[in-house]
Amino acid sequence: MRALTVIPSQKDSLAVTDVPEPEPGEGDLLVEGLAVGVCGTDKEIAAGEYGWAPPGRDRLVIGHESLGRVRQAPSGSGFAPGDLVVGVVRRPDPVPCGACAHGQFDMCRNGRYTERGIKELDGYAGQSWVVEPGYAVRLDPRLADVGMLLEPTSVVAKAWDEVEKVGARAWFAPKTALVTGAGPIGLLAALLGVQRGLEVHVLDRVTDGPKPALVRDLGAVYHAGDAGEVAAKVSPDVVIEATGAGPVIFAVAANTAPYGIVCLTGVSSAGRRITLDAGGLNRDIVLQNDVLIGSVNANLGHYAGAADALARADLAWLNRLISRRVPLEALHDAFTAGPQDVKVVIEL
Ligand code: BGC
């Protein structure tokens, strides 16, 4: 079958190649791959900057924002042919560490976790794939065109869960949230903030294209000004940071409301230096009981929360997040950013 593969660490190795049909192990589901979303991590893998092939192999099938339709399901699996499903990205480490042993593989402590399409396990950008029923999430059939948004939604469901858990260390009744970055992660974070009844503000650089209207149509407020000034004006109780840009991160961190919680979700490249008032920032964090948290990946509970959030969202709005749908053989189009792109999807 045809699949999108890469030789990790080798720039320009991304290609559609023939790979063996996946064989379902005992108990596994066999799934027809419908589509995958492309994200920044996929672009890093394609650039040779991230990603690991399965042991003993050169090529990795990429794709971790999956969507498929069950073809074969063993009886007792809880799934049936025709079900719309998404495969979970991460698997626990083999030791397992305490977190993985408790189902919190998103919090793995020894770094030996594996990830479909990213780290040592083939991903979902193939015409068929197999998955263990315990790592498959059934979607509302209404989400047939947008279900590949589940994985990025699981990432923001985790971010909100972290914020709420950390906030609960003392009295916490957040009213205002600022989301920095209006890419798919930022927009989905804003959706979940609005669903929680918060006043949501979204900051990005652009003043045209689809992002301002996508934000406004959620009932949130769009800003394109200076990050520090916007944060000072909004005075957010919660920040979901989705740019990974140092100047934005520290400008908003210095301007939250007291007891402000900043959740960092953007993966940045190392080596970018900025000048900041470390004393002033430290003083502000200490005197206000502020928190900065990092958040990556998602566990099964977050996938369930994300599936629920998407089922409750406006389908037309979710569809507008998908800027382009590109066939598998046109992979290079999918990996070249267009000026108006929010999410690009590869159809399998
Ligand atoms: C994925 C996560 C993954 C992370 C690090 C992100 O793009 O959405 O599931 O854990 O990359 O590999």
Side-chain angles (χ1 to χ4, degrees):
M1 68 161 190
R2 306 289 279 161
L4 187 53
T5 67
V6 71
I7 304 176
S9 304
Q10 193 171 307
K11 200 170 174 271
D12 300 328
S13 62
L14 185 71
V16 177
T17 57
D18 279 319
V19 301
E21 284 286 334
E23 295 277 335
E26 208 187 317
D28 287 348
L29 309 178
L30 177 64
V31 178
E32 175 194 359
L34 298 177
V36 286
V38 177
C39 82
T41 301
D42 297 306
K43 289 185 177 167
E44 270 193 51
I45 297 173
E49 292 162 7
Y50 194 61
W52 297 262
R57 295 231 321 261
D58 290 341
R59 284 197 167 265
L60 167 77
V61 177
I62 68 165
H64 61 277
E65 298 185 357
S66 63
L67 179 66
R69 197 172 286 289
V70 174
R71 252 198 227 136
Q72 278 174 34
S75 60
S77 64
F79 289 87
D83 282 351
L84 198 62
V85 284
V86 163
V88 170
V89 175
R90 194 174 282 195
R91 298 293 180 278
D93 77 78
V95 175
C97 75
C100 285
H102 286 84
Q104 297 168 358
F105 47 78
D106 57 316
M107 295 292 199
C108 180
R109 298 293 201 279
N110 65 20
R112 291 180 59 195
Y113 62 83
T114 50
E115 289 183 339
R116 300 275 310 246
I118 301 175
K119 187 168 183 274
E120 297 165 16
L121 294 176
D122 278 334
Y124 299 109
Q127 291 165 333
S128 359
W129 37 270
V130 296
V131 68
E132 317 87 302
Y135 290 97
V137 182
R138 193 191 349 259
L139 284 189
D140 186 327
R142 275 189 344 120
L143 299 173
D145 291 331
V146 296
M148 72 300 281
L149 296 174
L150 182 71
E151 196 277 341
T153 308
S154 74
V155 166
V156 298
K158 171 172 173 179
W160 276 108
D161 186 40
E162 295 296 297
V163 165
E164 282 156 3
K165 286 192 169 122
V166 170
R169 77 201 197 279
W171 174 82
F172 188 50
K175 288 202 168 65
T176 309
L178 173 62
V179 175
T180 47
I185 292 289
L187 289 167
L188 291 166
L191 167 70
L192 269 63
V194 169
Q195 287 183 342
R196 281 164 167 71
L198 297 185
E199 177 190 312
V200 177
H201 296 257
V202 180
L203 170 73
D204 197 290
R205 283 186 295 208
V206 299
T207 50
D208 56 3
K211 292 177 179 179
L214 280 163
V215 169
R216 282 186 213 114
D217 292 349
L218 271 183
V221 185
Y222 186 82
H223 302 264
D226 171 81
E229 282 168 22
V230 170
K233 197 165 94 193
V234 169
S235 188
D237 301 305
V238 175
V239 176
I240 307 285
E241 205 299 309
T243 69
V248 174
I249 296 167
F250 293 105
V252 297
N255 287 289
T256 62
Y259 201 77
I261 301 179
V262 179
C263 183
L264 306 175
T265 68
V267 183
S268 44
S269 342
R272 293 194 183 150
R273 288 165 192 276
I274 58 168
T275 303
L276 67 92
D277 175 0
L281 183 63
N282 172 71
R283 181 187 163 89
D284 180 75
I285 291 174
V286 170
L287 293 181
Q288 301 197 341
N289 293 292
D290 289 344
V291 186
L292 290 184
I293 358 170
S295 180
V296 70
N297 195 252
N299 64 35
L300 298 176
H302 303 129
Y303 275 84
D308 181 53
L310 289 187
R312 287 191 290 128
D314 174 36
L315 202 51
W317 186 86
L318 293 175
N319 254 299
R320 285 164 59 202
L321 295 188
I322 299 171
S323 319
R324 291 186 290 133
R325 297 175 190 266
V326 173
L328 180 59
E329 303 291 335
L331 66 150
H332 292 294
D333 288 352
F335 277 72
T336 309
Q340 309 280 314
D341 282 350
V342 178
K343 172 63 70 188
V344 176
V345 160
I346 299 179
E347 296 195 319
L348 300 168

